[in-house]
Amino acid sequence: MEDMLEERTLSRALKRETSIEEEEKNRKLVIFAWSGDLDRMWPTLILATTSAAMGMQTTVFFTFWGLLPLVRNDVRITGENWMQKMLSLMNRGGTEHLKLTKMNFAGAGPAMMRKLARDHKVASPQELLELAQEMGVRLVPCQMTMDLLGLTREDLIDGAEAPAGATSALLDAQDAITLFI
């Protein structure tokens, strides 16, 4: 009888420990931002700020085109060679220059979305990015993407963390809710 009681107590303790581990696991959000389009950056930043407001440890890892919103709005042409410079000319970084994945209409689509957002009191991507920083969201640029596009730390917004690689991003994502946007 005593053995059964001890086994039940141990079982309950293990369940409680597992429950605490699961709760801690769900207190962390990592978002891989691989697209810099307006209609993907908005939800990325809304989810990041919402999770931070809920007390979750939040990281956004910006890679490939998703890195472009971390480029300062006043930076125009970047890169060391003609290909990198051409890419920056065709796809300007910064939150003020985000395109839509659909219905871009030579820039009219994003202008309409921004107007609708203002009319409905939805924070702009720039405002959300600033809010994310204030709330302690980690904004991590991808080092490989920076190298590919010829971007430097000086090209990025203040408050972006040190660039990191895929290994660091995946280690951070362990035991976290992970989203790819």
Side-chain angles (χ1 to χ4, degrees):
M1 180 74 162
E2 193 173 301
D3 287 340
M4 286 179 55
L5 184 58
E6 193 174 307
E7 193 173 306
R8 282 187 203 161
T9 303
L10 182 59
S11 176
R12 285 184 190 138
L14 286 173
K15 283 181 184 176
R16 231 184 340 251
E17 189 174 310
T18 303
S19 176
I20 290 169
E21 287 174 9
E22 284 296 314
E23 187 176 317
E24 287 175 4
K25 179 179 176 179
N26 292 328
R27 302 301 303 160
K28 185 175 176 184
L29 174 67
V30 175
I31 301 173
F32 288 85
W34 59 270
S35 171
D37 291 321
L38 179 61
D39 47 331
R40 291 198 174 120
M41 196 46 53
W42 237 317
T44 296
L45 295 170
I46 288 170
L47 289 169
T49 53
T50 301
S51 70
M54 294 172 62
M56 297 175 74
Q57 179 184 351
T58 308
T59 301
V60 182
F61 183 73
F62 295 84
T63 188
F64 282 86
W65 304 122
L67 178 62
L68 294 177
L70 285 188
V71 174
R72 291 188 350 252
N73 285 314
D74 64 336
V75 170
R76 183 60 189 120
I77 299 193
T78 59
E80 300 166 359
N81 60 52
W82 71 270
M83 285 185 281
Q84 292 170 335
K85 290 176 189 288
M86 186 61 73
L87 281 171
S88 70
L89 186 65
M90 292 186 299
N91 201 6
R92 186 172 180 183
T95 56
E96 293 176 2
H97 311 102
L98 303 177
K99 300 173 184 167
L100 287 175
T101 55
K102 295 183 179 188
M103 299 182 286
N104 196 54
F105 302 129
M112 289 189 293
M113 288 299 294
R114 288 177 195 276
K115 166 116 176 57
L116 287 169
R118 275 191 311 275
D119 291 350
H120 291 278
K121 299 186 181 4
V122 174
S124 71
Q126 182 63 40
E127 292 167 328
L128 289 166
L129 197 55
E130 292 167 7
L131 180 61
Q133 289 177 302
E134 289 173 22
M135 297 176 84
V137 173
R138 295 182 58 226
L139 307 173
V140 182
C142 174
Q143 181 65 64
M144 183 194 67
T145 303
M146 288 181 67
D147 294 343
L148 282 173
L149 298 179
L151 293 168
T152 65
R153 292 281 311 260
E154 292 75 32
D155 295 327
L156 302 182
I157 62 170
D158 292 336
E161 294 204 6
T167 302
S168 296
L170 290 173
L171 286 171
D172 197 31
Q174 283 184 340
D175 298 327
I177 298 168
T178 306
L179 304 174
F180 292 83
I181 302 176

